[in-house]
Amino acid sequence: MKILIVGAGQVGTSVMKDLSDNHEISMVDKNASNLDRIPFDVNVTAGNGLEEEVLKSAGIEDADIVVATTSEDQTNVLIGSMAKLLTDCFTIARVSDPSLANIWNTREGAFGIDAMIDRSNLTAKQITELLWFQSTRQESINEEMYCRGKIKMSEFKLESESDLIGKKIQQCNEHSEINVAGIFRDSDFMLAPEGAVFEEGDRITVFGSPQKVDDFGISIASAEMEPVKDTFDILGGGDIGFQTALLLEDTPLSVRIFEKDPDRAQFLSEHLSQAMVLQADITERSIWEEENIPESDILLVSTDDDATNALVTLIGKDCGTPRLVSIVHEQQYLTLFESLDITRVIHPREVVASSITNYIQKSYAGNLTELEHESGEVFEIKIDSESTVLDKTIEELKKSFDQPLVVGAIVRQNHFIPPTSDTSVKLGDQLVILTTGKAEDIVESL
């Protein structure tokens, strides 16, 4: 497809990198220096994306999809509207203001935008999903379902008392019906290699039938930490903190939201019916002690400033808070936040970029999921009579691709089969594949 991306910042560049191998990409940005970082095989145009002549010179009249990813909401909406006037393309607009997304959600065809990607709401949904994962006995960090619910992928963190630490993957005989496919270690992700030894702090990616994956999670869960049951504190009442509290309004959780700015705290108290709003400076240790913040089941650090988020996260760790989730806004600080060894680091721009990429890719890859920090992609595919891997073993399948991959699961005649190197791929099999390369390339070859 021909895809025009307006805005060559972090989000636009990330989408370009994900799609450029198999699509014809053009980019527009009013800042020519942003375009200097773009690969030579991508068409670039320096200019204002709100000007018709600039859009035409960038090829909008031939574009199948136009993606507006500038840092300004109104600009993105106007670009999407202009694109609809100039051509019959599919339009995607990134926004940060929830009010624009609310208008689009409640009025069909609003702004002429086909898909509006709301940063605050998407990030809040990811946070609330994590809450529910942590409220179960298996205490996963992430979960996805594939093959119509027959396969579950979960991510678990190995705490210091885990029986798996020091063991090789092949030594997990008691868990033979699950497949450990990947490991996050020291901010890096790797496909689980033969002979890999588990270490404390590893976040492991596991595939299997839902019940077996849950049983595995329960067996390795920390005995010292209770699942999330009662309390959730939000430290920072910006759009992400506010949207998260809204999503939890009708749940059993007791939610408190701390906000330093008096006017913002007043807004929050007027628009949240169940959450308790406290106007306070969370960088002051005395507030933590007075309000018993460390006793909360889980904390979300969500101010609009990365330096403040880092400081507050460090205070939380020093106070012994059991679970910490922190927002990081700038990509340059992502590795720093990951090194703090907390429950989860969430990068809203990454969430937006992944959502846009997945929206486009789902047309050719079944149920595609992008892993945290774009470290890998998971997708499912059904093997037909023309597949190039029909009757090949898993080992032969892996060797036929330049890109590293792991077959996480096979569904055959509605049953999960743990894939081994000598398992043969049969007609009608559904494969769930994890790759650190591009899912699109593998799908095309398969």
Side-chain angles (χ1 to χ4, degrees):
M1 291 187 291
K2 294 182 178 181
I3 302 172
L4 173 61
I5 301 172
V6 184
Q10 186 177 320
V11 173
T13 302
S14 179
V15 173
M16 177 274 296
K17 289 178 179 177
D18 286 338
L19 300 174
S20 59
D21 286 348
N22 297 89
H23 300 283
E24 186 178 330
I25 307 292
S26 299
M27 298 193 76
V28 173
D29 198 288
K30 62 183 179 182
N31 188 343
S33 63
N34 285 342
L35 298 171
D36 291 340
R37 306 188 302 266
I38 305 304
F40 68 91
D41 56 342
V42 174
N43 301 315
V44 297
T45 303
N48 189 340
L50 289 173
E51 295 179 5
E52 182 176 337
E53 289 306 312
V54 171
L55 292 175
K56 285 184 175 180
S57 66
I60 192 170
E61 292 171 314
D62 296 322
D64 299 298
I65 299 174
V66 172
V67 186
T69 64
T70 78
S71 58
E72 300 174 3
D73 288 358
Q74 290 80 4
T75 298
N76 292 338
V77 171
L78 285 172
I79 289 170
S81 298
M82 286 180 63
K84 278 296 187 186
L85 292 174
L86 296 172
T87 181
D88 190 30
C89 63
F90 189 90
T91 56
I92 302 174
R94 159 208 181 184
V95 298
S96 299
D97 184 353
S99 63
L100 286 172
N102 288 337
I103 293 171
W104 184 81
N105 283 324
T106 55
R107 292 170 176 81
E108 185 176 353
F111 311 121
I113 305 296
D114 293 307
M116 185 169 283
I117 309 298
D118 176 3
R119 183 205 64 168
S120 301
N121 188 257
L122 274 176
T123 306
K125 285 181 177 177
Q126 193 168 107
I127 293 164
T128 55
E129 284 179 357
L130 174 61
L131 277 175
W132 305 137
F133 300 156
Q134 290 282 298
S135 67
T136 59
R137 289 176 59 203
Q138 58 265 31
E139 298 183 33
S140 62
I141 299 173
N142 189 24
E143 294 181 4
E144 294 288 345
M145 302 295 285
Y146 299 93
C147 303
R148 298 186 178 181
K150 295 181 180 67
I151 299 299
K152 188 174 192 176
M153 178 191 75
S154 290
E155 184 183 331
F156 303 102
K157 183 176 181 180
L158 300 185
E159 303 293 349
S160 57
E161 69 273 19
S162 173
D163 292 337
L164 291 184
I165 294 174
K167 287 185 177 181
K168 295 182 179 180
I169 292 177
Q170 294 89 333
Q171 292 176 304
C172 301
N173 296 327
E174 66 271 30
H175 305 296
S176 59
E177 294 187 58
I178 58 98
N179 184 19
V180 180
I183 301 175
F184 254 115
R185 180 180 294 164
D186 299 328
S187 302
D188 293 321
F189 180 77
M190 59 181 172
L191 301 180
E194 291 288 332
V197 177
F198 295 116
E199 297 180 8
E200 180 183 347
D202 281 353
R203 301 205 309 266
I204 60 176
T205 303
V206 175
F207 292 88
S209 64
Q211 186 60 57
K212 294 298 182 181
V213 170
D214 288 349
D215 290 345
F216 172 79
I218 292 170
S219 73
I220 66 169
S222 171
E224 299 176 0
M225 192 181 299
E226 288 292 320
V228 173
K229 292 181 180 178
D230 303 311
T231 56
F232 176 48
D233 284 345
I234 300 172
L235 310 183
D239 284 338
I240 292 172
F242 173 52
Q243 289 292 317
T244 303
L246 273 179
L247 292 175
L248 297 171
E249 284 279 76
D250 296 318
T251 68
L253 279 176
S254 174
V255 178
R256 299 189 300 179
I257 183 165
F258 293 77
E259 171 56 43
K260 181 180 179 180
D261 182 76
D263 293 336
R264 182 63 179 178
Q266 180 65 32
F267 169 86
L268 294 170
S269 64
E270 291 173 355
H271 290 81
L272 293 170
S273 61
Q274 294 186 24
M276 178 185 294
V277 180
L278 295 93
Q279 194 260 306
D281 184 353
I282 49 164
T283 63
E284 295 182 4
R285 292 290 293 258
S286 58
I287 297 298
W288 288 68
E289 296 167 3
E290 292 169 9
E291 300 298 337
N292 293 319
I293 295 176
E295 302 304 314
S296 177
D297 289 345
I298 186 167
L299 297 182
L300 168 65
V301 183
S302 59
T303 78
D304 294 329
D305 178 67
D306 282 341
T308 302
N309 287 347
L311 173 60
V312 172
T313 301
L314 287 170
I315 294 173
K317 283 183 65 69
D318 191 51
C319 290
T321 305
R323 296 178 183 85
L324 277 162
V325 179
S326 186
I327 299 298
V328 56
H329 299 282
E330 297 295 330
Q331 189 175 33
Q332 60 181 323
Y333 302 125
L334 189 56
T335 303
L336 172 65
F337 275 76
E338 285 286 359
S339 70
L340 298 177
D341 190 28
I342 58 178
T343 305
R344 186 79 178 269
V345 176
I346 296 178
H347 184 26
R349 288 178 183 169
E350 180 184 282
V351 173
V352 170
S354 295
S355 179
I356 293 171
T357 299
N358 291 347
Y359 205 100
I360 295 170
Q361 288 181 326
K362 70 180 182 182
S363 63
Y364 52 80
N367 200 8
L368 185 140
T369 306
E370 200 165 75
L371 296 185
E372 188 177 354
H373 310 324
E374 302 179 342
S375 54
E377 296 179 342
V378 183
F379 65 96
E380 62 181 73
I381 188 166
K382 188 170 184 178
I383 302 301
D384 60 24
S385 58
E386 298 180 0
S387 174
T388 58
V389 298
L390 183 62
D391 294 325
K392 287 186 177 181
T393 65
I394 297 298
E395 187 64 26
E396 291 171 333
L397 181 154
K398 291 167 65 176
K399 289 180 177 178
S400 64
F401 292 97
D402 295 331
Q403 301 184 70
L405 63 85
V406 170
V407 178
I410 299 175
V411 172
R412 180 175 297 162
Q413 296 179 348
N414 291 325
H415 295 290
F416 165 67
I417 296 176
T420 62
S421 59
D422 57 357
T423 301
S424 294
V425 178
K426 300 299 182 183
L427 180 66
D429 281 355
Q430 292 174 280
L431 308 186
V432 181
I433 295 175
L434 165 61
T435 179
T436 52
K438 298 289 185 184
E440 183 177 3
D441 296 339
I442 299 171
V443 170
E444 187 175 316
S445 298
L446 287 173

